[in-house]
Amino acid sequence: KRKQIAIYGKGGIGKSTTTSNLSAALSDLGYSVMQIGCDPKNDSTTTLRKGKPIPTVMDTVRSGSNKLDNLIFEGYNGVHCVEAGGPEPGVGCAGRGIIAAIELLDNNGIIDDIDPDIVIYDVLGDVVCGGFAIPIRQGIAEQVYTVTSSDYMAIYAVNNLFKGILKYSGSGGALLGGIIGNSISKISQKEMITDFSEKTETNVIEFVPRSSTVTKCELDGVTTIEGAPNSEQAEVYRQLARNVINNKDSYIPKPFEAQDLADWAASWINNLLKEEKIEQNGIRSG
Ligand code: ADP
Ligand code: MG
């Protein structure tokens, strides 16, 4: 049975980096993978394609072309790459690309023809509105994952996403598969995200450290899995891939109310400040 997941998170938080490494790791494990970028930035799949951009579904639609074979491009180890694309800047709803992509690919049976084992939607998740909510609302994805750091704005976006998931959970919407902590370089950041997951009755599926290997590989136009397969970072992404494959659990999150979230974050600031002080003084104490 095909597994369809969607990965949400604030812009710039590491969704595409994490998703592309996940896709690459899954394809190395022998799965046939399709990655669909649902972000007007159109750069979801570039590190799967040696840094080369691909035309978007919206470009193809706008050009009036009905050549459907111009939508899917081959990436690393045969990963099927799609970029939904977005509206022209300043015009129309940013979610239109997703709607167009899903209509074209799903409704025309194109995904069925390719028959991938796993479809991963990489979705800009600041706004759980219109098109961006479609993978959740229509239950297209069976599980939603979210990438976050311990930064307040990133967690704030996750909390909003949880509100969206909760809202559609009673009507066949996708549920949460788990949180992916990204750029985790301190114990307290791990603890903070773990605490957030406990308070919202969800779970953390993997912690991904901040790593210059990721940056180096990105500058070379490749994923860490391709560019540094023997690195510790690549092993983290492979572990993430195994965890996602084996994860059969889905959660209905219990999001914070706005004020409660702010209070919760404030209560964590002291811990983070304490840790910074320890670092500055070069001492560690219990
Ligand atoms: P998004 O898709 O959420 O907008 P990207 O995946 O494009 O974010 O990542 C934004 C930037 O952060 C990129 O330059 C990427 O290389 C960097 N990045 C993401 N995750 C890590 C990490 N674990 N270590 C180092 N750099 C990272
Ligand atoms: Mg992205």
Side-chain angles (χ1 to χ4, degrees):
K1 188 184 163 282
R2 187 177 308 147
K3 187 171 176 115
Q4 306 220 52
I5 66 174
I7 300 190
Y8 280 78
K10 176 185 167 293
I13 203 63
K15 292 179 300 294
S16 301
T17 306
T18 310
T19 305
S20 299
N21 276 290
L22 174 61
S23 292
L26 287 167
S27 77
D28 278 351
L29 285 172
Y31 294 97
S32 155
V33 184
M34 181 182 283
Q35 178 168 325
I36 305 179
C38 301
D39 186 324
K41 265 202 296 177
N42 309 335
D43 62 352
S44 174
T45 59
T46 42
T47 55
L48 290 166
R49 302 214 352 112
K50 297 268 156 67
K52 276 192 302 240
I54 56 177
T56 71
V57 175
M58 282 304 282
D59 288 340
T60 305
V61 169
R62 264 195 293 267
S63 74
S65 159
N66 51 10
K67 280 211 302 262
L68 297 177
D69 52 345
N70 226 7
L71 301 173
I72 301 169
F73 298 84
E74 190 178 327
Y76 170 77
N77 207 19
V79 174
H80 305 283
C81 301
V82 179
E83 297 285 349
E88 289 158 56
V91 196
C93 160
R96 268 209 56 210
I98 302 181
I99 297 171
I102 288 176
E103 275 179 0
L104 268 178
L105 296 174
D106 230 356
N107 301 354
N108 285 299
I110 296 178
I111 296 184
D112 282 338
D113 283 347
I114 292 177
D115 199 20
D117 303 312
I118 301 153
V119 180
I120 310 179
Y121 296 86
D122 169 10
V123 194
L124 176 65
D126 289 83
V127 261
V128 191
C129 79
F132 291 105
I134 281 193
I136 296 177
R137 200 173 64 205
Q138 300 184 348
I140 286 169
E142 71 191 64
Q143 282 178 330
V144 171
Y145 291 84
T146 177
V147 177
T148 189
S149 67
S150 61
D151 286 354
Y152 182 56
M153 279 314 27
I155 290 187
Y156 186 89
V158 173
N159 198 61
N160 272 348
L161 172 70
F162 284 5
K163 288 180 183 173
I165 294 174
L166 176 62
K167 183 176 162 133
Y168 298 114
S169 62
S171 50
L175 302 184
L176 190 84
I179 297 169
I180 301 166
N182 186 41
S183 294
I184 303 303
S185 49
K186 297 176 181 170
I187 300 278
S188 60
Q189 294 174 336
K190 221 177 203 174
E191 289 170 349
M192 188 172 173
I193 293 177
T194 303
D195 189 47
F196 175 78
S197 76
E198 285 167 3
K199 296 281 185 332
T200 54
E201 297 180 9
T202 57
N203 74 321
V204 182
I205 187 121
E206 190 61 74
F207 287 107
V208 179
R210 173 158 284 279
S211 155
S212 319
T213 307
V214 172
T215 316
K216 161 110 187 30
C217 291
E218 184 184 61
L219 292 172
D220 290 342
V222 292
T223 60
T224 303
I225 291 288
E226 180 173 12
N230 300 320
S231 62
E232 274 176 44
Q233 190 75 5
E235 190 46 44
V236 172
Y237 289 125
R238 279 191 287 268
Q239 190 55 49
L240 171 65
R242 289 187 287 264
N243 291 351
V244 166
I245 284 294
N246 294 329
N247 184 17
K248 306 281 186 279
D249 299 326
S250 292
Y251 302 80
I252 298 176
K254 200 170 142 248
F256 278 102
E257 297 295 330
Q259 188 57 49
D260 294 343
L261 182 68
D263 293 345
W264 171 84
S267 75
W268 269 97
I269 278 298
N270 287 331
N271 283 28
L272 298 174
L273 287 175
K274 221 187 289 166
E275 194 166 312
E276 271 168 29
K277 216 179 221 165
I278 291 169
E279 267 172 19
Q280 276 164 16
N281 297 337
I283 42 164
R284 280 217 153 258
S285 60

